[in-house]
Amino acid sequence: MSLFSKVKSPAAFLRALVKSPWRELAQRYACWTRVGTVAAALALVLATPFALRPRSRPARVPAANTLVILSPHNDTIRTEIARGFADHMMRTAGKPVRIDWRDVGGTTEISKFISSSFQSAFQLYWRRHLKKGWQGRLSNPGQSVLQKGIPDESPEDDTQEQQARRTFLASNVGIGIDLFFGGGSSDFIRHAAYGHLVDSGIFEREPSWFSEKVIPESFSGETLYDPGKRWVGSCLSSFGICYNTDWIKRLDHPPPQRWEDLGDPVYLNALALADPTKSGSTTKAFEMILQEQLSAAFAEVDRVGVVNVGSLESNALDKGWTAGLNLIQRISANARYFTDTAAKIPFDVAQGNAAAGMSIDFYGRAINEAVRKADGTSRVQFVIPVAGTSVGADPVAMLRGAPRPELAQDFIHFLLAPEGQRLWHYRAGVPGGPAQSALRRMPIRQDLYTPEELEKSADPELNPYVQSRDFQYHPEWTNPHFNVIRFIIQVMCMETHEELKQAWAALIRAGFPPHASRIFFDVKLVGYTNVTRELTPKLMTDDPLAIQKRRRDLRESFRKNYLLAIEFANRGE
Amino acid sequence: MNPVLKYLRDVNVTLLVFIAMLAFFAAFLALPILKTIQEAFLVDGQFTFKYVGDVVQDLSYAQGLWNALLLATFSTILAITLALPLAVLGDRYEFPFKPVLTTLLLVPLVLPPFVGAIGVKQILGQSGSLNVFLSWFGLVDMNQPVDWLGKWRFAGMVLMTGLHLYPIVFLNVSAALANLDPSLEEAAENLGCSPGKRFRLITLPMTLPGIFAGGTIAFIWGFTELGVPLIFDFTRITSVQIFDGIKDLGASPYPYALVAVVLAITSSLFLACKGLMGNMDLSSSGRTTIGRTTKNLAGWKKWCAVAAFLFVIVIALVPHCGVILFSMSKDWYLTVLPESLTLSHFEEALGHVLTLPSIANSLKYAGLATILNLVLGIAIAYVVVRTTIPGRHVLDAIAMLPLAVPGLVLAFGYLAMTREGEMFRWIVDNPLIQADNPVFLLIIAYAVRRLPYIVRSAVVGFQQTSRSLEEAALNLGAGPLTTLRRITVPLIAAHLIAGAILAFAFSMLEVSDSLILAQKQIFFPITTAIYTLYGSLGTGPFLAAALGVWAMIFLAVAIVGAGYLLGQKIGNLFRL
């Protein structure tokens, strides 16, 4: 009322409008307007994902048709494989299936998770089901096999551990998960040895698949399926070098083509490396660096001519091994970091945080495509190092006590059949290929590398069975020392990384004076003779305290060497 | 009288609370830690200190510990140096945009996991914005860009940790300042005390509990900080050594022994500091009865205040700006700002199957954890400050330990203690939920991890409020619970809110527990969803950044909203 009685001019009306009664009202309900404002703001933020949520709700699938898979595979792979498998089952068996992907982080977390889950599941089985007692701490029936030995033929004289182990291997103790899918074959080899993995029956169902023509048992020295039938590779992967073309241009240096190029001082503080202590496939890549140098040393011996076979061979082994370790030293000294996140390296290279790095093939190729410009050029290139790589299998396996063994076998069957294999390498949208994005991985079946198949591949020029054939992998040189390689890199490069980098920089500054270089590259303590005689056998049998002491002693002597090298380099000696 | 009631009245309620709290920590802190680190103390089933002894003698580990101590010390000093003057400015004076500025000061707290490092590298990396920007003025040659993250690593780590932690100190100090009785300062002023001397002799000592509370959290956080050293690729520091060791394929007992050493150092440092602080009775005779007035800063001075706030905010928000810009960029490389912006990453990330359920889960877990935390925090602070039970300081120290325990250790411990056949199986398998639903476990895990924030805030609250008001209520016939509800809690509400904001925000961003405990997709909280998106081929980092930015916006709105609701502006939040 008061508002209208005072109207004399439009301006006055506006003034009055602003003045009363709204203001009064606003003040009276100030508290509620505040609540309203905050609630509206929060609702707005929450509404965005609500508005954008996927429209199609997944169909309800009974638990019996839900396959539980523990996997470190990325979301892209999971989505495509799950869709492919569901379509396949609907078409062939007429039943809806769903995959319940479980994830506990990376491969190491998954490994720990499997081991500890089996341990407690077995303890429960032992105490509740078998109603047996135990003296001391009930050990893990899986892992204890490596320490206490496999039970012998006669069950009568079993120790407590052997009895547990025998019981475990005969049991169907499970952890509620059907399959373990993805990761390096070394994890699968380990869990198979523990008894956590079992034969899924796929080898009996499709014996013709496991032949030289389709899936060979091994290729370029790498095992592609378990001779004990407990795991089988589903695709192949390899390590390569990815590099940033702008950075390489800036360095005024030819792009890296082989591992050796990465040891060049121009890459000081510019490399991104993967951490061999966290994954078997990374250790494999470092093993390849050694293999390449060993091959070179043997070629050198061959060139000089054979005088006394025995001594020459050990000579070549010593030389090649030392050259390989020195190369690993140089590459590590150039490194900014060692990471266990596979996707981090190509990404850092793409964003110009590193000049080059070690990368798993499909991550490298995916980033190359992701930053490709309209004119077809890309600032990230991925190369498979010349004569320095082998391919490894990325396996799938059924876990002991899988709740849905038939469905699990169906999944493995689908994955290894041409239909499932095509998902790995076909371009997105091609009939029979992935629906949304290409996975850029290499199928394990050789019969998928025919010209007709490769035509639809996202990487048509890629055929590991041809490209890696020439690479002669000599498992006898390095394979027995696989764990020792990891151990050496740890003490020689990772735990002493600060001193290593400083010494390397000092050497470069001083122009590699001879005395300092000799100290820096002195790896006699972990030379081939020492490794075969001392380290490899001792690391298998020593207790953790002794291993730790060895590790500390070696690390300290490397650290001392590096510090000494800095001192000499600074004096120019 | 009913004998049961009589008995209940006679037993010491506080003693019961004390025992209940100890039992809680025994079950949900000590047990999971022991479950995980027992390997560090067992050789062939025999108890041993050998591994711990080895760790202490090892030069590498010793250097790691030393670096961790240095990082903690310097970043705490930095955090206090930044937060204290700003808190005093905000408490005493009026200047333009004060409500906005004091609120923005808290926003650096919320940096989403996994993608924070990307934000930093986009700006400070060798091909990052800063170098390109400086090259415009000829200060940097892009053929030899400056390696900001590699060159001044330690200083950079201190700077980044300090800038991440100062809001914690700011919140605690602001709460303490707001609870100061102005009459003391006025008395000093009337007696001719100069402002500088007044600050030194009255204000600072009276605010010490707040500085101590914020400082200890910052110190322990800095001591065990993992993310920042990883951004700078700094490996010779305890947190990284533990993290690397736990993830090592070799399964060595040493990382666990190192955890034990860290826990021992943290708790003894905490108790030592507490001893140094003494048993201060900082409560004034009555609670603030005189309303405090803030002074208007005149002329250039007020703009100086604004500039001081802006300076800290801008530097602290560098990583956040990096993440935000990155999430909206098609590609961002060798340019100051992304060349072209897009919202498609948001569309894809927010529209992902996982996203909406994960948001709902996170709100549920973090919200309930915060409520549980409030109950626990009040109970613990009450025992610590208001009682004379011997061992209450130990309880206080224990309540701080979750800050120092690596996330992975607790997470694996929780997993182990809730397996089938274990004593705490009922947490994941009870009539309220379907089997293997980790909802209660996650709530407890989040609550334990974030408890220190609320305990510290509540302890300061109790220290600063006089007991006489509670005694008056009790004398007038109110029961202990009524007193707590009607007198104590309202009086310390500012402190509780400050602590609750921290607890909630950090629960939403919790990583280790989320990854390890919420294995099924239907239970994924938002951090796990970010992690999953991160792994998408090609666009992963962009999608993860987009969801991370969403979480950041949500938490920022929640923090600002809480301040706005409770006191119109967060600066006044602490003045009741």
Side-chain angles (χ1 to χ4, degrees):
Chain A
M1 292 170 293
S2 61
L3 188 66
F4 296 104
S5 62
K6 280 178 194 165
V7 175
K8 289 201 177 97
S9 66
F13 173 76
L14 278 178
R15 261 201 308 278
L17 191 70
V18 174
K19 213 169 155 191
S20 50
W22 315 106
R23 214 187 221 184
E24 251 171 56
L25 274 175
Q27 269 163 6
R28 188 176 305 160
Y29 294 106
C31 143
W32 291 109
T33 40
R34 270 189 277 165
V35 172
T37 318
V38 173
L42 277 178
L44 190 70
V45 181
L46 284 172
T48 343
F50 192 74
L52 291 171
R53 74 190 187 280
R55 290 281 169 256
S56 57
R57 312 249 333 137
R60 299 289 285 178
V61 172
N65 290 355
T66 302
L67 191 61
V68 182
I69 302 182
L70 190 60
S71 170
H73 275 312
N74 64 51
D75 192 46
T76 317
I77 293 179
R78 288 186 206 177
T79 313
E80 294 295 347
I81 299 276
R83 190 196 47 75
F85 181 55
D87 288 355
H88 168 83
M89 289 304 284
M90 192 50 114
R91 211 174 42 247
T92 55
K95 66 176 177 184
V97 296
R98 198 176 73 84
I99 294 179
D100 175 0
W101 297 100
R102 301 286 174 87
D103 194 353
V104 292
T107 321
T108 28
E109 281 92 347
I110 289 182
S111 245
K112 257 190 216 317
F113 175 78
I114 295 178
S115 291
S116 60
S117 301
F118 267 110
Q119 174 166 12
S120 58
F122 179 72
Q123 283 179 1
L124 193 72
Y125 176 75
W126 183 268
R127 294 212 167 98
R128 288 255 176 92
H129 193 78
L130 304 178
K131 303 218 181 327
K132 288 188 183 176
W134 191 269
Q135 283 178 334
R137 255 173 97 228
L138 182 52
S139 62
N140 185 340
Q143 265 148 353
S144 69
V145 66
L146 296 182
Q147 291 140 21
K148 314 280 177 191
I150 303 161
D152 52 15
E153 288 301 308
S154 52
E156 303 81 38
D157 57 351
D158 272 0
T159 62
Q160 189 173 240
E161 281 82 10
Q162 285 171 336
Q163 199 191 345
R165 172 98 190 137
R166 201 184 294 279
T167 316
F168 178 63
L169 291 182
S171 77
N172 200 26
V173 169
I175 58 173
I177 293 172
D178 297 297
L179 291 165
F180 176 22
F181 176 32
S185 53
S186 57
D187 291 312
F188 285 78
I189 292 171
R190 194 166 63 240
H191 285 290
Y194 292 164
H196 297 157
L197 310 180
V198 292
D199 183 359
S200 63
I202 189 72
F203 291 85
E204 284 72 41
R205 185 161 158 188
E206 297 286 350
S208 65
W209 287 359
F210 302 93
S211 63
E212 278 304 306
K213 285 267 151 29
V214 187
I215 307 176
E217 186 179 333
S218 76
F219 177 73
S220 81
E222 185 76 27
T223 314
L224 301 191
Y225 62 80
D226 178 26
K229 301 179 178 179
R230 291 159 299 185
W231 57 264
V232 52
S234 70
C235 61
L236 296 172
S237 60
S238 61
F239 261 92
I241 301 171
C242 63
Y243 61 90
N244 184 308
T245 53
D246 292 331
W247 197 316
I248 299 293
K249 223 176 281 159
R250 205 166 78 205
L251 293 177
D252 200 17
H253 201 77
Q257 295 299 323
R258 41 199 325 147
W259 293 118
E260 200 161 352
D261 297 339
L262 295 182
D264 194 299
V266 296
Y267 293 112
L268 177 67
N269 227 347
L271 295 187
L273 296 188
D275 181 347
T277 63
K278 310 286 159 53
S279 102
S281 50
T282 312
T283 316
K284 188 87 202 163
F286 280 100
E287 190 193 357
M288 288 307 124
I289 296 177
L290 289 168
Q291 282 273 335
E292 194 189 354
Q293 297 299 318
L294 283 162
S295 289
F298 272 94
E300 176 71 17
V301 167
D302 283 347
R303 204 173 52 80
V304 173
V306 182
V307 187
N308 178 330
V309 178
S311 74
L312 268 184
E313 183 179 337
S314 71
N315 196 359
L317 278 171
D318 251 338
K319 261 202 180 136
W321 179 265
T322 306
L325 288 185
N326 286 158
L327 177 55
I328 292 175
Q329 272 184 308
R330 284 186 280 140
I331 295 176
S332 302
N334 279 333
R336 294 184 74 86
Y337 58 76
F338 295 86
T339 180
D340 64 331
T341 314
K344 180 179 167 172
I345 295 172
F347 179 73
D348 264 349
V349 170
Q351 294 310 107
N353 294 318
M358 289 165 91
S359 169
I360 297 180
D361 52 5
F362 70 101
Y363 275 113
R365 295 197 179 101
I367 290 272
N368 162 283
E369 188 181 300
V371 299
R372 192 174 291 160
K373 289 198 200 127
D375 61 2
T377 60
S378 176
R379 63 174 186 264
V380 180
Q381 292 300 325
F382 176 80
V383 290
I384 293 287
V386 184
T389 194
S390 75
V391 288
D394 200 326
V396 58
M398 193 164 93
L399 289 163
R400 182 175 296 278
R404 291 152 288 261
E406 292 84 22
L407 196 58
Q409 198 199 67
D410 285 340
F411 180 81
I412 297 178
H413 188 265
F414 162 76
L415 207 57
L416 295 182
E419 191 187 350
Q421 290 279 297
R422 288 186 181 119
L423 292 176
W424 290 124
H425 74 154
Y426 270 21
R427 288 189 298 276
V430 169
Q436 275 169 356
S437 27
L439 305 183
R440 316 291 302 261
R441 305 209 56 169
M442 303 180 283
I444 199 155
R445 284 178 76 117
Q446 283 199 69
D447 52 357
L448 279 219
Y449 293 97
T450 60
E452 306 84 72
E453 291 283 344
L454 285 173
E455 206 171 82
K456 296 172 192 155
S457 164
D459 301 286
E461 72 295 338
L462 202 64
N463 182 353
Y465 285 103
V466 171
Q467 278 135 15
S468 294
R469 191 175 293 151
D470 298 336
F471 179 70
Q472 256 311 318
Y473 175 76
H474 292 271
E476 71 279 8
W477 291 345
T478 50
N479 207 27
H481 316 302
F482 196 73
N483 287 325
V484 173
I485 295 173
R486 183 183 289 151
F487 178 84
I488 292 175
I489 296 172
Q490 198 169 19
V491 294
M492 184 177 77
C493 303
M494 294 176 60
E495 293 181 344
T496 45
H497 199 212
E498 292 305 310
E499 290 82 2
L500 173 72
K501 282 198 290 189
Q502 285 165 20
W504 180 238
L507 281 181
I508 296 172
R509 259 200 317 275
F512 293 94
H515 197 95
S517 307
R518 206 161 44 240
I519 296 172
F520 180 89
F521 288 118
D522 179 9
V523 291
K524 254 190 239 89
L525 282 172
V526 288
Y528 200 75
T529 336
N530 259 352
V531 165
T532 39
R533 290 207 194 122
E534 276 274 314
L535 280 174
T536 300
K538 283 280 160 55
L539 279 192
M540 302 270 271
T541 52
D542 274 359
D543 63 280
L545 273 170
I547 292 178
Q548 172 67 10
K549 188 175 177 310
R550 199 172 285 277
R551 191 171 117 188
R552 195 169 60 210
D553 292 346
L554 278 173
R555 186 214 302 145
E556 289 315 314
S557 51
F558 274 111
R559 191 208 307 276
K560 263 188 212 126
N561 271 4
Y562 295 146
L563 293 175
L564 210 59
I566 296 175
E567 216 172 278
F568 279 110
N570 288 343
R571 276 191 266 146
E573 289 173 32
Chain B
M1 194 187 221
N2 185 325
V4 178
L5 277 180
K6 188 171 185 309
Y7 173 76
L8 276 178
R9 205 190 57 187
D10 287 349
V11 291
N12 195 334
V13 178
T14 54
L15 195 64
L16 271 183
V17 173
F18 178 67
I19 292 168
M21 286 304 110
L22 281 186
F24 178 83
F25 282 125
F28 298 114
L29 185 66
L31 183 65
I33 293 176
L34 284 180
K35 280 258 175 209
T36 319
I37 70 170
Q38 56 183 358
E39 291 165 51
F41 296 99
L42 291 171
V43 175
D44 292 331
Q46 298 293 311
F47 184 81
T48 177
F49 272 117
K50 270 191 190 139
Y51 296 120
V52 174
D54 256 22
V55 158
V56 182
Q57 286 166 17
D58 193 306
L59 190 61
S60 250
Y61 291 139
Q63 282 182 344
L65 281 168
W66 178 243
N67 285 335
L69 279 174
L70 285 183
L71 177 63
T73 311
F74 287 119
S75 50
T76 308
I77 292 173
L78 178 66
I80 293 176
T81 326
L82 289 174
L84 187 60
L86 294 177
V88 173
L89 266 179
D91 185 64
R92 295 293 147 85
Y93 303 104
E94 282 301 331
F95 45 85
F97 309 113
K98 182 173 152 185
V100 183
L101 291 172
T102 38
T103 313
L104 278 178
L105 209 56
L106 300 179
V107 173
L109 274 181
V110 287
L111 184 62
F114 308 114
V115 289
I118 295 178
V120 176
K121 285 192 175 174
Q122 286 302 122
I123 309 260
L124 298 178
Q126 294 190 70
S127 309
S129 297
L130 183 64
N131 274 339
V132 179
F133 180 72
L134 291 176
S135 74
W136 289 356
F137 306 98
L139 294 170
V140 166
D141 173 10
M142 277 318 276
N143 280 322
Q144 282 166 310
V146 183
D147 187 359
W148 300 101
L149 295 171
K151 233 175 195 167
W152 295 281
R153 277 200 305 184
F154 207 81
M157 276 162 46
V158 168
L159 191 68
M160 194 168 286
T161 316
L163 284 171
H164 186 60
L165 293 182
Y166 79 85
I168 294 173
V169 183
F170 179 82
L171 272 176
N172 281 293
V173 173
S174 294
L177 279 171
N179 259 1
L180 263 187
D181 188 347
S183 58
L184 290 172
E185 291 180 314
E186 278 161 22
E189 195 177 0
N190 289 340
L191 293 169
C193 188
S194 71
K197 200 172 174 189
R198 203 166 71 224
F199 179 77
R200 193 159 44 83
L201 292 180
I202 311 284
T203 318
L204 193 60
M206 298 289 291
T207 339
L208 264 185
I211 299 174
F212 176 73
T216 29
I217 292 181
F219 185 89
I220 301 178
W221 185 313
F223 188 54
T224 52
E225 169 68 40
L226 177 65
V228 172
L230 285 180
I231 291 178
F232 286 84
D233 304 318
F234 191 87
T235 49
R236 201 158 297 164
I237 189 160
T238 308
S239 53
V240 179
Q241 288 170 331
I242 292 175
F243 182 72
D244 271 352
I246 290 178
K247 298 186 86 181
D248 195 322
L249 294 171
S252 131
Y254 287 91
Y256 302 113
L258 204 50
V259 171
V261 173
V262 167
L263 291 180
I265 293 180
T266 317
S267 44
S268 43
L269 274 178
F270 178 79
L271 284 175
C273 283
K274 232 185 138 171
L276 276 182
M277 294 275 298
N279 274 331
M280 291 180 301
D281 182 15
L282 289 155
S283 58
S284 40
S285 48
R287 216 189 103 90
T288 338
T289 41
I290 319 158
R292 185 206 298 272
T293 47
T294 49
K295 285 186 199 145
N296 275 315
L297 277 175
W300 59 274
K301 281 186 185 164
K302 66 182 176 198
W303 295 110
C304 282
V306 174
F309 270 77
L310 271 182
F311 179 73
V312 175
I313 292 167
V314 167
I315 295 186
L317 284 180
V318 161
H320 305 68
C321 295
V323 177
I324 293 172
L325 284 172
F326 182 75
S327 71
M328 300 194 297
S329 62
K330 276 203 185 107
D331 190 13
W332 182 12
Y333 172 69
L334 282 180
T335 47
V336 174
L337 297 173
E339 272 172 70
S340 55
L341 296 179
T342 171
L343 285 178
S344 64
H345 303 312
F346 280 89
E347 216 179 305
E348 195 176 333
L350 296 182
H352 195 277
V353 196
L354 283 178
T355 304
L356 194 62
S358 77
I359 289 170
N361 284 339
S362 263
L363 289 179
K364 185 164 68 183
Y365 304 153
L368 290 172
T370 309
I371 292 170
L372 176 59
N373 260 341
L374 280 170
V375 175
L376 295 169
I378 294 172
I380 293 167
Y382 180 79
V383 171
V384 170
V385 183
R386 286 286 188 262
T387 69
T388 50
I389 299 174
R392 63 188 188 285
H393 293 303
V394 175
L395 182 70
D396 196 10
I398 293 173
M400 295 305 286
L401 283 186
L403 268 181
V405 186
L408 279 175
V409 169
L410 267 183
F412 274 112
Y414 287 128
L415 196 66
M417 65 190 248
T418 53
R419 286 186 201 288
E420 223 178 322
E422 292 282 338
M423 201 180 15
F424 288 95
R425 175 70 188 169
W426 51 272
I427 296 175
V428 291
D429 187 6
N430 59 48
L432 290 176
I433 49 175
Q434 65 187 98
D436 281 321
N437 180 338
V439 54
F440 292 119
L441 189 59
L442 276 167
I443 290 168
I444 292 172
Y446 284 2
V448 169
R449 300 267 295 152
R450 304 310 180 208
L451 187 58
Y453 306 108
I454 293 194
V455 169
R456 284 271 64 75
S457 309
V459 163
V460 179
F462 276 109
Q463 280 175 341
Q464 285 193 327
T465 32
S466 168
R467 179 180 292 211
S468 53
L469 294 173
E470 288 164 21
E471 285 164 354
L474 289 169
N475 280 344
L476 292 169
L481 276 178
T482 317
T483 314
L484 188 72
R485 190 166 53 84
R486 300 285 303 274
I487 309 289
T488 319
V489 170
L491 282 176
I492 63 169
H495 296 276
L496 294 180
I497 291 162
I501 287 176
L502 291 175
F504 181 78
F506 289 134
S507 291
M508 286 275 285
L509 302 175
E510 162 66 52
V511 176
S512 303
D513 292 322
S514 311
L515 282 186
I516 309 249
L517 301 179
Q519 293 150 11
K520 291 189 199 173
Q521 290 202 348
I522 47 167
F523 303 125
F524 275 8
I526 194 159
T527 35
T528 319
I530 295 176
Y531 177 80
T532 311
L533 286 179
Y534 193 94
S536 302
L537 217 49
T539 51
F542 293 98
L543 300 182
L547 187 52
V549 166
W550 183 90
M552 216 156 82
I553 293 173
F554 174 78
L555 287 175
V557 169
I559 291 175
V560 174
Y564 182 64
L565 274 185
L566 290 154
Q568 203 149 24
K569 31 196 165 171
I570 208 145
N572 285 355
L573 177 67
F574 308 110
R575 203 166 294 146
L576 292 165

